[in-house]
Amino acid sequence: MECLIGIRGKDFVLLASDSVAGRSVVAMKKDHDKMFQLSSKLLMAVSGEGGDTVQFAEYIAKNIQLYRMRNGYDLSTKAAASFTRRNLADYLRSSTPYMVNLLIGGHDDNDGADLYYMDYLGSMVNLPFAVHGYGSFFTLSIMDRYYKEDMTKEQTLALLQRCIDEIHERFIVNLNSFKVKIIDKDGIHVLKDIRPTTKPPVEAEGTQQQQQLMDTA
Amino acid sequence: MSIMAYNGAAIMAMKGKNCVAIAADTRFGIQAQTVSTKFQKIFELGPRLYIGLAGLATDVQTVSERLKFRVNLYELRENRRVKPKTLLSVVSNLLYERRFGPYFVEPVIAGLDDVTSEPFVASLDLIGCPMVTEDFVVSGTCSEQMYGMCESVWSPDLDPDQLFEAISQALLNAADRDAVSGWGAVVHIIEKDKVTTRTLKARMD
């Protein structure tokens, strides 16, 4: 029921995740952050099996930090994503596979901003925009229609707002708050939570007349 | 739900006169949903040697990485490029090692011999059974459709341009009859002195 959204803009990547932590039919926490900082300019959003998500994310984050300590510089986004993929693929055929779907957004000096999509089996793709979860069925078409290369931060946030509004409109599960973070050449910036735009309630045709009739009766 | 049809793919290779062609669709999808239209399924293992991998996307990536590792070590030890026929045996060994827990890929190999420049195409099943043919090989979720198309458009001794037309039409029309294949296509024409890579304008549905 979780939704992760990633959009690549001009020299930055925007990652958004819903902030509901739920078990079965209960929403336990409404302001949960599903994104993990792997390094100063690498962010990973995770969804999937409870426990696996945090364990796997922390394992990857610590190993990325270990590389930095050993070598003195950060892994590139592509290398970090490949490392993550290798781990997911290796564990897939073990007795303890990780059921984690994730998005990795990062910025480095050679390749600029990059967004990687990975499913729990370990298939990895570099994409301009990506969505995990049921939300993908509602939002990918919207992004196909309105996404352009090299959008500004404002344009990307507007696109994200459209997507969140559509999820709120048509997805049966209430995801009314998304945590949003941006990764650019200056690092990771936390933006304000995004909520669906509240629309005024639509009155059905004829209800006013019906109400008048009932009042006079 | 078949594991080999979870992501979907269409790959084929054809022999021509002193040339070979290898082509693949570029869809990455998860069952009915298309996630990417630029997914790489053909990998270069030598200046005139290519392998295409159809099947489960994670295994396509894992096998291509492990295979590249083996080929690199081979070339370091032998101090020469691997021959297409030898690559066939390397892949067969890699896959059979996992006989009772296989990689869900069905590879297709196309290349020119490094010394004699003789054309070579071959394919394998997911547990490494090798098959060398004199005309063409196909692999993927629409293999029946691809067999039909290849049988119709292929003839022996096509020159590079004719071969390009033949393999392109065969792949495009076969993939159009398969729900989980298509969404873009790439073709490599391998000749003695150059490799031409073209992306096809395909139906994006």
Side-chain angles (χ1 to χ4, degrees):
Chain A
M1 307 299 158
E2 301 166 307
C3 184
L4 306 175
I5 302 176
I7 309 176
R8 179 173 20 108
K10 185 163 179 64
D11 224 33
F12 70 92
V13 180
L14 178 138
L15 282 186
S17 60
D18 77 282
S19 45
V20 176
R23 288 286 178 276
S24 162
V25 294
V26 179
M28 292 191 305
K29 187 172 157 74
K30 299 288 227 4
D31 56 357
H32 183 229
D33 188 359
K34 295 174 189 175
M35 297 192 251
F36 289 83
Q37 186 167 343
L38 303 182
S39 78
S40 57
K41 295 203 290 183
L42 261 179
L43 195 64
M44 181 161 85
V46 289
S47 75
E49 190 80 52
D52 282 0
T53 48
V54 177
Q55 288 285 81
F56 186 71
E58 286 185 355
Y59 173 72
I60 298 294
K62 301 290 177 258
N63 272 286
I64 305 280
Q65 287 307 308
L66 181 61
Y67 182 94
R68 169 132 178 82
M69 282 178 216
R70 280 188 180 141
N71 299 290
Y73 52 86
D74 278 325
L75 270 173
S76 66
T77 317
K78 189 172 185 187
S82 297
F83 171 72
T84 310
R85 190 205 96 75
R86 168 94 345 247
N87 270 287
L88 266 177
D90 283 345
Y91 275 104
L92 180 67
R93 288 179 158 89
S94 73
S95 47
T96 57
Y98 286 104
M99 271 262 324
V100 183
N101 297 309
L102 52 103
L103 293 176
I104 294 182
H107 185 282
D108 53 49
D109 300 320
N110 290 330
D111 305 310
D114 261 332
L115 173 66
Y116 287 92
Y117 168 107
M118 221 173 300
D119 74 355
Y120 70 99
L121 298 169
S123 345
M124 181 175 89
V125 178
N126 184 341
L127 290 172
F129 54 84
V131 190
H132 271 299
Y134 287 111
S136 63
F137 293 106
F138 302 102
T139 53
L140 280 175
S141 319
I142 297 179
M143 298 225 249
D144 278 331
R145 169 68 179 85
Y146 292 111
Y147 174 84
K148 292 191 305 285
E149 281 290 334
D150 294 335
M151 290 197 294
T152 63
K153 289 196 173 77
E154 292 71 33
Q155 288 172 317
T156 316
L157 282 168
L159 178 58
L160 179 65
Q161 186 67 53
R162 263 191 208 264
C163 292
I164 290 171
D165 286 345
E166 186 59 26
I167 292 172
H168 182 250
E169 178 77 27
R170 290 293 183 181
F171 188 31
I172 211 171
V173 173
N174 183 30
L175 302 175
N176 66 352
S177 159
F178 278 72
K179 290 243 181 278
V180 185
K181 295 187 188 174
I182 280 191
I183 310 103
D184 61 18
K185 61 174 171 43
D186 303 316
I188 300 174
H189 314 280
V190 182
L191 303 181
K192 269 202 337 251
D193 286 4
I194 290 193
R195 292 171 176 276
T197 6
T198 40
K199 288 182 279 205
V202 177
E203 251 190 57
E205 255 180 50
T207 47
Q208 258 197 352
Q209 293 166 332
Q210 274 187 356
Q211 197 56 43
Q212 280 172 351
L213 282 170
M214 285 182 60
D215 287 339
T216 55
Chain B
M1 186 210 64
S2 160
I3 302 175
M4 296 300 284
Y6 185 70
N7 294 124
I11 319 228
M12 58 170 60
M14 279 187 184
K15 256 199 208 181
K17 192 163 181 66
N18 301 322
C19 59
V20 285
I22 185 166
D25 70 331
T26 52
R27 177 182 181 268
F28 169 60
I30 298 181
Q31 292 185 301
Q33 186 182 63
T34 300
V35 176
S36 171
T37 54
K38 295 185 175 68
F39 189 69
Q40 185 185 9
K41 299 179 196 180
I42 298 180
F43 302 91
E44 189 187 322
L45 293 174
R48 272 168 292 284
L49 185 50
Y50 286 74
I51 186 165
L53 295 156
L56 194 63
T58 179
D59 285 348
V60 164
Q61 292 179 321
T62 301
V63 169
S64 77
E65 287 168 9
R66 289 202 193 282
L67 188 58
K68 184 78 188 139
F69 173 79
R70 288 197 186 198
V71 168
N72 283 346
L73 270 179
Y74 179 98
E75 292 183 353
L76 282 169
R77 285 194 194 108
E78 303 262 326
N79 204 22
R80 61 182 177 88
R81 296 278 185 205
V82 65
K83 285 210 289 266
K85 209 150 159 282
T86 318
L87 179 69
L88 178 65
S89 297
V90 173
V91 181
S92 176
N93 175 256
L94 197 161
L95 295 174
Y96 197 81
E97 273 182 353
R98 293 274 167 270
R99 171 63 179 83
F100 299 109
Y103 289 117
F104 296 101
V105 292
E106 283 174 345
V108 153
I109 296 172
L112 300 176
D113 189 291
D114 226 57
V115 172
T116 62
S117 292
E118 208 196 305
F120 179 88
V121 293
S123 69
L124 307 95
D125 70 359
L126 78 171
I127 46 172
C129 175
M131 180 179 80
V132 182
T133 63
E134 295 307 311
D135 41 20
F136 49 81
V137 284
V138 304
S139 185
T141 41
C142 53
S143 50
E144 277 97 348
Q145 292 93 321
M146 287 192 282
Y147 272 124
M149 281 307 308
C150 286
E151 203 63 64
S152 323
V153 300
W154 189 85
S155 55
D157 292 329
L158 291 168
D159 74 30
D161 290 326
Q162 293 172 315
L163 189 65
F164 169 69
E165 281 303 319
I167 201 173
S168 304
Q169 286 301 321
L171 184 73
L172 252 28
N173 290 295
D176 285 347
R177 278 287 186 177
D178 181 18
V180 290
S181 300
W183 287 88
V186 68
V187 181
H188 303 271
I189 308 290
I190 305 149
E191 297 169 63
K192 188 164 167 242
D193 52 350
K194 63 177 170 153
V195 174
T196 324
T197 303
R198 299 183 183 92
T199 32
L200 302 179
K201 186 160 178 242
R203 282 187 69 106
M204 301 298 271
D205 61 357

